[in-house]
Amino acid sequence: MSNGVMNGAMNRKLLFIFGPVTGLVMFAAVIWMASTLVNREYKEPYRVPSAAVDATPRTQGVVAESADAESKAKAKPYVEAEYRTFPIVGSRVAIWSVAQLHLLFAAFVLAVPIFAFIIEVIGYKTGDQRYDKLAYEFTKLLSTSFSLTATFGACLTFMLIILYPKFTSYMMSVFSPTFLPYVLLFFFEAFFLYTYYYGWGKFHPLVHLGLGLGLNLVGTAIMMIANAWVTFMTSPNGISDQGAVLSVWDAVYNFTWMPINVHRFIANIAFGGSVAGAYAAFKFLQAETDEERAHYDWMGYMGNFVAISAFLPLPFAGYWLAKEIYAYSQTLGLTMMGGAFSWLFIVQAVLIGNLFLAANYYLWLGMGRVEGAQPLQKFIKYLLAGITLCFAVWATPRSIIATVSELRAMGGGTHPILGYFGVMSAKNTAVNILILTTFMSFLLYRRTGKVATVAWAKIGHAAQLAIFAGAAIIVITLGVVGYFVEATVRIGLSVPQVSSVLFAMVSITVIDVFLFRGAKKTGEVRWGRMPVVSQYVLIFIAVTFTWLMGLMGYIRSGLRQHWHVYGVVRDTSVDAFTPTIGFATQVVSVTVLLFFCLIGFVFWITSLHDKPDFVPQTKPLRERSGELSPEFAMKPAAEHGRTS
């Protein structure tokens, strides 16, 4: 009993002691939890009003930095950029393509007025309206072509200023006195061109011929000014060692200016004639009547005649240009003929050989226009053999790409036999004989269907044959002699070779004109009776000639390699390297493709001139009543107003 009482008393004492302690602990825990939760609540920080305090030092620092950056930006000096990058293709390829397109259209716009003027003069002297019509049809190609020429010229100018500002600034400082005459001449060219075209048949023939003469003189002057800018980059003249201008005239009349003028003038005529021939072929293939085919066959023949007539002396002008490049800098000459660009001349030989083959083939096909069997056609196989042999010699390289075993078998990079055909003595001989053979093909074509009736016919034929044989013997003999003399003498031997060929062509032509005056005709010429393949030959000639112009333009420009102006302004851009042959041919091919797409557009625009005007067909409302609703058509006129 007593133990139970004592245990109860002890429990009450423990409860009395631990009760308050437990309560205090629980109270402290509640206070701790409450304060923790309250501290985790978001409370907007207290901010003193900005007007009541000064700016902090950090804010002052930010403002000071901003002001300093702005002052430095305002004080930054202007630094002219040397180069800028064209997206994707790069600056050089962009300039290359636009410049090539501009030059191709400029060549066409320069060449077409020349032979249109010549044809118009022939028509005026003979009174044959066919020539006047032909000249007008050639001139129709000029309007759109002139606009495209100006457009590409403006694009080229802006791109040069943007992509090559420092180089362009230097060229402008050298040739700024030529810019005003160039602009004035360009204005006069536009005046003469559109007056000549739209004034056809509106003026007296002599006045109109005067406009054509003015157009050709102005166009040639524009070409010569632009040639001064281009040739100065290859053979600079009239400047100090540091590039300062001493004489603008000497800068214009530099070492390669006149050879380029002659070479481009002749090449532009050949190129323009080939494109005009391609236009005639394009129209021939579209023709639906015999009259149209006859007209465009004759037009294609005239265009091809102009192209081949200018093409025959073109290699001589090219040799003159190469000679002047050698005379100015042997380094440029060796780079051109024996260095990085030597294999491009093999490509050039192949293209020119194809041009000669195609031109002769077209002339041989043209013999079939004349009625009856033609005895002169039996000589074609001999001409073909001669052309093929000369073509093979001209396209033979001096060194051959071969394997190690082949090089060992040959005893070096030069073939023991074919290597003799890779030097200039053989190539000069081959190209001169090739020109003589092509000239003979033209003579045979001209004589087809004719018999000379003059009393001295036999003597004339014998004289022509003797001149031709004598020229061929001189060319071959000098070519063989070139293997046994020094290089300086060998180069000089090319002059009598060229002179003998030119003398033969001129003298034989003069004799032929008098020999076949009043000749008896054995058959009529049937214009339009040409196989379709002949028209594709004309197109092939135009494409090949255009491709050749692009390739040779690259060679002339690429000779400078890492110089904008040779020896004066160095090219320090990322494009300062010589492209591979494959890359160069790709760029040229794409540019030629673009040109013919655009020239096809010109042909299409020109063809619209011959189509009848569109006349809208309008019908009275009475005739169209069936097209209206039956209810409306059945109503009387008083209910729906006008009926017509």
Side-chain angles (χ1 to χ4, degrees):
M1 207 59 199
S2 60
N3 289 333
V5 173
M6 287 181 66
N7 289 335
M10 289 295 294
N11 290 334
R12 284 194 295 270
K13 289 179 180 180
L14 290 173
L15 290 174
F16 178 78
I17 293 172
F18 288 107
V21 173
T22 303
L24 290 173
V25 171
M26 294 178 64
F27 178 76
V30 171
I31 294 298
W32 176 79
M33 292 176 60
S35 62
T36 301
L37 293 175
V38 171
N39 288 335
R40 291 184 177 180
E41 288 183 355
Y42 171 77
K43 294 180 180 180
E44 183 177 359
Y46 173 75
R47 292 184 177 88
V48 180
S50 58
V53 296
D54 296 331
T56 64
R58 184 178 184 281
T59 305
Q60 292 177 348
V62 171
V63 173
E65 288 180 1
S66 177
D68 183 60
E70 184 177 356
S71 63
K72 287 182 178 179
K74 291 182 178 179
K76 183 178 180 180
Y78 168 74
V79 179
E80 183 178 10
E82 292 190 24
Y83 304 101
R84 296 186 180 92
T85 305
F86 193 87
I88 303 176
V89 298
S91 299
R92 178 166 63 178
V93 173
I95 292 291
W96 185 352
S97 301
V98 174
Q100 189 65 63
L101 288 171
H102 171 63
L103 289 174
L104 289 174
F105 275 104
F108 184 68
V109 169
L110 174 66
V112 170
I114 293 176
F115 56 80
F117 173 74
I118 295 173
I119 292 171
E120 187 183 7
V121 170
I122 296 174
Y124 176 74
K125 296 294 291 184
T126 61
D128 192 342
Q129 291 298 316
R130 292 187 309 161
Y131 289 97
D132 190 76
K133 181 181 178 181
L134 181 62
Y136 177 66
E137 191 146 9
F138 278 143
T139 308
K140 287 194 300 185
L141 300 171
L142 290 177
S143 181
T144 307
S145 300
F146 182 77
S147 301
L148 289 173
T149 304
T151 301
F152 281 114
C155 289
L156 177 61
T157 302
F158 292 138
M159 291 177 68
L160 284 172
I161 294 173
I162 295 170
L163 302 177
Y164 293 86
K166 188 174 182 179
F167 159 70
T168 306
S169 177
Y170 176 74
M171 292 295 290
M172 293 176 68
S173 67
V174 175
F175 290 101
S176 56
T178 66
F179 291 163
L180 181 58
Y182 185 85
V183 172
L184 292 176
L185 287 171
F186 195 80
F187 170 78
F188 283 118
E189 185 181 30
F191 168 78
F192 281 118
L193 172 62
Y194 290 109
T195 307
Y196 182 70
Y197 173 56
Y198 291 105
W200 208 289
K202 310 297 191 301
F203 300 110
H204 187 277
L206 292 178
V207 174
H208 193 261
L209 287 173
L211 293 173
L213 179 62
L215 173 61
N216 286 293
L217 292 176
V218 169
T220 303
I222 289 176
M223 180 199 71
M224 294 178 70
I225 292 177
N227 285 345
W229 308 338
V230 173
T231 54
F232 174 82
M233 296 166 63
T234 302
S235 56
N237 191 32
I239 56 176
S240 67
D241 294 338
Q242 302 299 321
V245 182
L246 301 178
S247 171
V248 176
W249 172 246
D250 289 339
V252 170
Y253 201 95
N254 58 75
F255 297 91
T256 56
W257 182 56
M258 193 52 67
I260 278 287
N261 287 333
V262 175
H263 187 269
R264 274 192 170 173
F265 184 80
I266 299 174
N268 290 348
I269 295 176
F271 168 69
S274 66
V275 175
Y279 169 74
F282 172 77
K283 298 291 289 184
F284 181 94
L285 295 173
Q286 287 185 328
E288 298 179 354
T289 63
D290 292 339
E291 290 77 11
E292 289 180 338
R293 277 186 285 272
H295 172 68
Y296 289 114
D297 182 23
W298 184 59
M299 183 178 182
Y301 162 74
M302 293 299 296
N304 184 68
F305 171 74
V306 171
I308 299 305
S309 298
F311 182 62
L312 290 178
L314 187 58
F316 305 139
Y319 281 133
W320 181 25
L321 175 60
K323 175 179 177 296
E324 292 298 326
I325 291 176
Y326 264 106
Y328 174 74
S329 172
Q330 290 188 6
T331 302
L332 289 178
L334 292 174
T335 302
M336 176 176 62
M337 301 301 297
F341 298 92
S342 58
W343 273 94
L344 287 173
F345 280 91
I346 302 300
V347 179
Q348 177 218 38
V350 173
L351 292 174
I352 294 179
N354 280 312
L355 282 175
F356 276 112
L357 281 172
N360 281 273
Y361 182 52
Y362 181 80
L363 291 174
W364 299 337
L365 289 175
M367 293 181 179
R369 292 191 184 101
V370 182
E371 295 176 343
Q374 302 303 325
L376 296 178
Q377 289 181 331
K378 63 184 179 182
F379 296 106
I380 290 178
K381 55 180 175 291
Y382 304 110
L383 296 174
L384 178 59
I387 291 173
T388 304
L389 179 62
C390 292
F391 182 10
V393 172
W394 201 14
T396 301
R398 173 62 173 168
S399 58
I400 301 175
I401 300 175
T403 62
V404 176
S405 60
E406 290 171 338
L407 291 175
R408 289 173 180 172
M410 290 189 299
T414 303
H415 194 277
I417 298 175
L418 298 180
Y420 290 107
F421 300 122
V423 297
M424 290 308 297
S425 290
K427 296 187 182 304
N428 284 340
T429 303
V431 70
N432 282 284
I433 297 298
L434 193 59
I435 291 171
L436 279 176
T437 308
T438 304
F439 177 72
M440 185 59 66
S441 289
F442 175 74
L443 282 183
L444 293 181
Y445 172 80
R446 188 177 182 275
R447 294 180 176 192
T448 301
K450 298 177 183 178
V451 176
T453 57
V454 295
W456 50 277
K458 291 184 178 180
I459 299 176
H461 289 307
Q464 287 180 315
L465 182 60
I467 293 173
F468 179 82
I473 291 172
I474 291 174
V475 169
I476 295 174
T477 302
L478 293 178
V480 174
V481 171
Y483 285 96
F484 304 98
V485 295
E486 297 179 354
T488 54
V489 179
R490 181 166 56 248
I491 293 173
L493 292 178
S494 62
V495 176
Q497 282 182 319
V498 171
S499 301
S500 60
V501 171
L502 291 176
F503 173 78
M505 290 194 298
V506 172
S507 57
I508 291 175
T509 301
V510 172
I511 294 174
D512 210 65
V513 169
F514 291 99
L515 184 63
F516 283 88
R517 178 173 292 179
K520 177 184 176 182
K521 293 184 178 181
T522 60
E524 293 295 328
V525 179
R526 301 170 298 178
W527 292 105
R529 302 292 181 89
M530 286 284 280
V532 175
V533 67
S534 64
Q535 307 308 306
Y536 292 110
V537 170
L538 291 178
I539 296 174
F540 172 80
I541 291 174
V543 173
T544 306
F545 207 100
T546 307
W547 208 94
L548 180 63
M549 287 183 65
L551 177 67
M552 299 312 295
Y554 162 68
I555 294 176
R556 178 196 52 76
S557 179
L559 287 179
R560 301 189 308 272
Q561 293 181 314
H562 51 271
W563 295 95
H564 291 308
V565 179
Y566 185 69
V568 180
V569 180
R570 193 177 182 89
D571 184 358
T572 58
S573 68
V574 296
D575 295 322
F577 63 91
T578 301
T580 62
I581 296 177
F583 180 79
T585 52
Q586 287 175 9
V587 175
V588 171
S589 300
V590 171
T591 304
V592 170
L593 180 62
L594 289 174
F595 171 75
F596 274 96
C597 289
L598 292 171
I599 207 69
F601 171 73
V602 172
F603 291 171
W604 176 73
I605 289 291
T606 305
S607 66
L608 296 179
H609 184 274
D610 300 327
K611 293 185 177 181
D613 296 335
F614 174 74
V615 179
Q617 300 295 325
T618 57
K619 295 185 293 185
L621 190 59
R622 287 193 187 93
E623 298 180 12
R624 293 186 289 124
S625 59
E627 302 173 10
L628 306 175
S629 61
E631 295 80 4
F632 185 82
M634 293 298 293
K635 290 182 180 180
E639 296 186 22
H640 52 70
R642 295 178 58 189
T643 59
S644 64

